[in-house]
Amino acid sequence: MLASLKPKVTTILSNNAESVENRLAALCNLLRDTIDYYDWVGFYFKNGDKKELKLGPYAGEPTDHTIIPFGKGICGQVAVSNENFVVPDVAAQDNYIACSITVKAEIVVPLFKNGENIGQIDIDSNTPDPFTEEDERFLEFVNQEVSQIL
Ligand code: SME
C-alpha cells in the first residue's frame, strides 16, 4: 500500500536540519528503494523565467535530459497541460524522450505552489503498465508535501 509510506514522506520532508535539495534526494531514494516498479524517480522544476524544465534531485541512473523545453516529451507536455500524464507504454508515444531503453512506462504529476505549476515528479518504470490511480493520488500527496517546503 502506497499510503503506508505517507508518514515516512512527511518525516523526510520536515527534517529542517537538511537542505531542501537533500530532503528531495532522500525522498526520491525512499520511493525508488521501496516501490519495486519505481525504477527512476526525479523532480524537474521550471528553470527561472525560461520555458523549460531543469532536472532537480533524482534517484536512479543519470540522464542526459537535464533540460527539457516546455512541450517536449512527457515532462514538457505536463509543464503545459498542468495535468497528470500516465503512460502505460512509452513505445506508443510520439512525443516521448527516451532516457533508457529499459523503460516501459512513465508517470508525471505536476507540482503546484500557490496554484502555479512550478515543476513535477517523474517516475520511470521498467515494468509495463504498472501505474494506477493509487499512484496518482499518492504522488499528488507527495507533491503537496514538497510544495510546503519550497
Ligand atoms: N521520458 C521523459 C524524459 C525524462 S526521463 O524519463 C528522466 C519525457 O519524455 O519527458
Side-chain angles (χ1 to χ4, degrees), residues 76-92:
Q77 292 177 76
V78 169
V80 178
S81 73
N82 306 323
E83 287 177 3
N84 297 350
F85 199 155
V86 180
V87 182
D89 173 11
V90 295

Side-chain angles (χ1 to χ4, degrees), residues 2-3 5-6 9 13 27-28 30-32 35 37-38 40-43 84-86 106-112 119-124 130-147:
L2 296 178
L5 282 174
K6 287 181 177 181
V9 170
L13 292 175
L27 172 60
C28 291
L30 170 78
L31 300 186
R32 182 172 180 268
I35 305 166
Y37 56 95
Y38 284 20
W40 189 95
V41 178
F43 287 93
N84 297 350
F85 199 155
V86 180
E106 179 163 4
I107 182 170
V108 178
V109 173
L111 196 160
F112 299 98
Q120 52 195 233
I121 189 166
D122 176 19
I123 321 282
D124 284 342
F131 302 115
T132 67
E133 284 188 18
E134 192 189 354
D135 296 278
E136 291 191 68
R137 298 295 89 75
F138 174 66
L139 295 170
E140 287 164 1
F141 164 82
V142 167
N143 280 355
Q144 278 161 17
E145 293 289 293
V146 169
S147 158

